[in-house]
Structures are given as structure tokens and as C-alpha cells.
Amino acid sequence: MTTYARWSATVGLLLSAAVGAQESVWLEGEEASNRKIANAFYEDLWNSNNTDRYVEYMAETYIAHDIGDRKGVEEPAIEQKNIADFFWANGDMSVEYDYQIADGDLVATRWIWKYKPTTFFGRVFLGSTNIPIINVFRFEDGKIVELWNHRHDIDTGQTLRFTIKGFAYGVLFMLIPLLLVRAKWRKKALAQPG
């Protein structure tokens, strides 16, 4: 090995050691702590039925940003327990993690929520599903104070519910003019001597 090759290898090892040391310092910081809290939240509420542990992760109140009507809504922490309890009461859940990133007081996690209903209500109204979800948590003092919830509901039976609802509205709007025309024809037919 030439002197240049040995020198390059030594510099490379020193640089990788320095980067590794910096990474371990970073992993011990705020982001690492927030990631651990986020992961424990998923494990206790969504991967196992330990929903009473919500108090370890959630601030007394938090701000929810959801894909539905819950945008910028302040909710009590117990709401997260109530939501998880509802699904646990009607089925079994598990979590499959795709990736997670942290930046200061924010942690974003992309995960797959797997749900298998075990009750009649669960089978009829919720159905078995795997939903990709992206959550972003904002932390203060080791607690989740803000939560953005982005579900890919189009992959679920919810899409069918909205399709049926839209079809029902369409049929209703179609029937109203049809019934008015039918009533007019009938009135006209009764008015003609015959």
C-alpha cells in the first residue's frame, strides 16, 4: 500500500469516527428522546392494548389537525385513549413502521395501521383494513402538544361509504324531478275526459 493510500484510509477512518461520534451525540439529544416517546405512544395505544398509558405521552390538552373536520381543535389528552379504546373494543390492531424522522420538537412517522375486526359492529362498519398513516407530533417538555394526522382513507372501506352516500344523493335528486313530472302527467291524465 502506498503512503498516499495509507494516509487516505487513515483520514477516512478519522472522519467516519468523528461523524459517528457526532451522530451518537445527536441520538442522545432532544430528537432521540422525542422519537422514543412517539414510538412508545404507538406501541402502547396502537400495537398493544395499553391505552391507560396515554398520560405518559400526551400533554393535558393537545391541538389536533386531522383530515376530517378536526382541524386546529384543542382536545383533552384522554381523547387519544378513547379513540384507541373504540378500535380495541371492536378488533385487533397492529403497527408496521415505514420510517421516522425527527427535527427539533417535531417527529414524523409513516406507518401502516393494520386492523382486523372481531365484533359484528367492527366487521360491518369498520372492516378489515391496512391504512398508511403519516403522523407529525410536536413536543413540549417531553409530551405531545400537537398532532397532525394524515390517513390514506381512500384505501379503506370508508371510500365505499362515501360512494354509496354520493349515489344515494344522486338518486334522491333524480327522483324529485321524476316524481314532479309524474304528478303533472297524472294530473293532466285525470283532467282529460275519457
Side-chain angles (χ1 to χ4, degrees):
M1 191 180 248
T2 67
T3 305
Y4 177 75
R6 275 187 267 161
W7 182 81
S8 291
T10 303
V11 169
L13 285 172
L14 289 173
L15 282 175
S16 68
V19 169
Q22 179 62 33
E23 186 175 301
S24 68
V25 168
W26 175 79
L27 291 175
E28 294 169 3
E30 178 185 14
E31 284 112 354
S33 175
N34 291 343
R35 287 175 72 166
K36 286 178 186 175
I37 296 166
N39 291 336
F41 169 85
Y42 292 120
E43 287 302 314
D44 282 334
L45 273 73
W46 299 100
N47 209 32
S48 61
N49 194 355
N50 295 320
T51 60
D52 288 335
R53 297 187 72 185
Y54 77 96
V55 295
E56 297 176 26
Y57 316 115
M58 303 299 299
E60 274 188 47
T61 62
Y62 66 96
I63 306 296
H65 307 274
D66 209 325
I67 61 171
D69 293 334
R70 292 174 49 217
K71 294 196 184 337
V73 176
E74 185 173 343
E75 297 179 334
I78 198 163
E79 187 63 25
Q80 286 299 304
K81 175 186 175 13
N82 294 340
I83 293 167
D85 283 344
F86 170 79
F87 288 108
W88 280 112
N90 291 291
D92 294 325
M93 300 187 285
S94 65
V95 172
E96 178 184 313
Y97 299 101
D98 282 341
Y99 61 85
Q100 187 176 70
I101 56 175
D103 184 17
D105 63 347
L106 299 173
V107 173
T109 308
R110 186 181 191 282
W111 56 292
I112 308 293
W113 177 61
K114 296 182 177 188
Y115 186 72
K116 184 176 180 185
T118 57
T119 64
F120 177 75
F121 176 85
R123 284 191 283 283
V124 171
F125 292 102
L126 302 172
S128 184
T129 190
N130 295 338
I131 303 175
I133 300 173
I134 298 174
N135 290 133
V136 179
F137 297 150
R138 185 171 65 81
F139 289 87
E140 282 181 12
D141 301 322
K143 301 279 187 165
I144 300 167
V145 296
E146 200 162 4
L147 178 148
W148 288 264
N149 188 31
H150 304 278
R151 295 181 316 273
H152 203 255
D153 287 347
I154 198 161
D155 290 343
T156 70
Q158 297 294 327
T159 304
L160 179 60
R161 187 181 95 198
F162 292 119
T163 302
I164 291 170
K165 185 177 177 182
F167 180 75
Y169 284 142
V171 167
L172 178 65
F173 289 125
M174 178 190 73
L175 283 176
I176 291 170
L178 181 64
L179 292 173
L180 291 173
V181 168
R182 183 172 180 248
K184 188 175 182 179
W185 284 346
R186 188 169 189 180
K187 187 177 181 183
K188 195 184 246 187
L190 292 175
Q192 291 180 355

